Amino acid sequence: MMRKQAAKKLPLAPDPRFNDKLVTRFVNNVMEQGKKSIAYKIFYDAVDKVSQMTGENGYEVWRKALNNVTPAVEVRSRRIGGATFQIPAEVRPDRKVSLSIKWLVRFAGERNGKSMADKLANEIVAASKGEGAAFKKKEDTHRMAEANKAFSHFRV
């Protein structure tokens, strides 16, 4: 049976330190096994380390890093006449944020370092400078979309 309407999005509570819903969203992606307090500790430690490393406001550096890894276009697979094409498509605003958060957290986890807070801090600093694996992922996504521009007339 089909749904009559889309599922309602639950409202997020802003985080205690910065009073920002985006931080809560980020922490929800850092969180493993439902341990939110540990995820908050990791995030806040990372932000403090970022401010020590850069000498700037860690929260602002994190916002800049998030903006730097936010993609504008992505490729979507579409099957046409027996062949599968990678078709470039604009990214919805909500998905843009979601992708950038996921990439930052994922590539921070893949870095080598002692704690997740250290790894996350290093990835945030790298992303804010336009470096690092998360930023590279965005660049690759854009490059892929550019390379497949010829198929954009197949758009849904």
Side-chain angles (χ1 to χ4, degrees):
M1 204 163 119
M2 296 282 293
R3 287 182 190 264
K4 291 190 191 273
Q5 57 186 224
K8 298 271 190 296
K9 286 234 173 192
L10 289 174
L12 284 174
D15 79 297
R17 187 155 145 192
F18 301 111
N19 200 30
D20 186 357
K21 291 182 180 184
L22 191 60
V23 171
T24 306
R25 213 166 148 183
F26 191 86
V27 166
N28 286 346
N29 275 276
V30 172
M31 175 172 57
E32 288 181 0
Q33 298 177 355
K35 303 198 175 207
K36 193 172 263 187
S37 57
I38 293 173
Y40 269 120
K41 189 174 178 340
I42 289 169
F43 176 74
Y44 291 144
D45 285 352
V47 167
D48 293 339
K49 284 180 176 142
V50 166
S51 43
Q52 284 175 358
M53 288 159 69
T54 59
E56 298 171 43
N57 182 353
Y59 173 71
E60 293 301 325
V61 175
W62 171 74
R63 292 294 293 240
K64 185 179 175 197
L66 215 52
N67 283 337
N68 281 356
V69 298
T70 303
V73 286
E74 66 179 341
V75 288
R76 292 178 164 245
S77 295
R78 179 119 191 261
R79 205 169 148 79
I80 297 158
T84 305
F85 294 103
Q86 299 280 7
I87 298 168
E90 286 281 321
V91 186
R92 296 189 324 270
D94 198 43
R95 183 165 163 76
K96 280 182 184 183
V97 176
S98 185
L99 284 173
S100 59
I101 288 172
K102 284 174 186 168
W103 289 346
L104 258 182
V105 172
R106 179 176 134 208
F107 290 113
E110 289 175 6
R111 274 178 170 257
N112 31 2
K114 282 269 191 221
S115 66
M116 182 57 183
D118 286 336
K119 296 194 251 184
L120 188 56
N122 290 331
E123 190 62 39
I124 288 169
V125 169
S128 69
K129 292 177 184 169
E131 303 163 1
F135 186 77
K136 186 179 181 300
K137 174 76 172 169
K138 174 202 157 184
E139 293 292 303
D140 291 347
T141 305
H142 279 221
R143 210 171 294 117
M144 186 91 131
E146 186 65 36
N148 289 304
K149 218 175 197 167
F151 304 122
S152 59
H153 65 280
F154 287 135
R155 218 176 308 198
V156 183

